[in-house]
Short mmCIF file of all heavy atoms in Angstrom, two decimals:
data_model
loop_
_atom_site.label_atom_id
_atom_site.label_comp_id
_atom_site.label_asym_id
_atom_site.label_seq_id
_atom_site.Cartn_x
_atom_site.Cartn_y
_atom_site.Cartn_z
N GLU P 96 38.49 45.16 -17.08
CA GLU P 96 39.59 44.39 -16.63
C GLU P 96 40.47 44.14 -17.84
O GLU P 96 40.12 43.92 -18.93
CB GLU P 96 39.17 43.10 -16.10
CG GLU P 96 40.16 42.40 -15.37
CD GLU P 96 40.45 43.16 -13.98
OE1 GLU P 96 39.64 43.02 -13.07
OE2 GLU P 96 41.47 43.86 -13.90
N LEU P 101 42.91 39.78 -16.24
CA LEU P 101 42.08 39.09 -17.34
C LEU P 101 42.65 37.74 -17.64
O LEU P 101 41.90 36.75 -17.90
CB LEU P 101 41.99 40.07 -18.57
CG LEU P 101 40.94 39.66 -19.57
CD1 LEU P 101 39.50 39.81 -18.92
CD2 LEU P 101 41.04 40.48 -20.79
N LEU P 123 28.47 26.39 -10.53
CA LEU P 123 28.13 27.86 -10.78
C LEU P 123 29.09 28.77 -9.98
O LEU P 123 29.42 29.88 -10.42
CB LEU P 123 26.69 28.05 -10.52
CG LEU P 123 25.75 27.51 -11.53
CD1 LEU P 123 24.27 27.76 -11.06
CD2 LEU P 123 25.97 28.11 -12.84
N LYS P 136 30.11 40.88 -19.60
CA LYS P 136 29.01 41.80 -19.35
C LYS P 136 29.51 43.24 -19.33
O LYS P 136 28.94 44.17 -19.95
CB LYS P 136 28.32 41.43 -18.11
CG LYS P 136 27.16 42.36 -17.58
CD LYS P 136 26.64 41.76 -16.38
CE LYS P 136 25.62 42.53 -15.56
NZ LYS P 136 24.89 43.57 -15.99
N THR P 166 41.79 47.74 -23.95
CA THR P 166 40.31 47.80 -23.67
C THR P 166 39.70 48.91 -24.54
O THR P 166 38.54 48.84 -24.99
CB THR P 166 40.11 48.21 -22.18
OG1 THR P 166 40.85 49.36 -21.88
CG2 THR P 166 40.40 47.15 -21.30
N SER P 235 25.91 37.40 -31.66
CA SER P 235 25.31 36.52 -32.65
C SER P 235 24.20 35.62 -32.09
O SER P 235 23.24 35.30 -32.80
CB SER P 235 26.42 35.69 -33.15
OG SER P 235 26.74 34.63 -32.39
#
Side-chain angles (χ1 to χ4, degrees):
Chain P
E96 199 67 82
L101 194 63
L123 289 174
K136 179 173 168 20
T166 51
S235 77

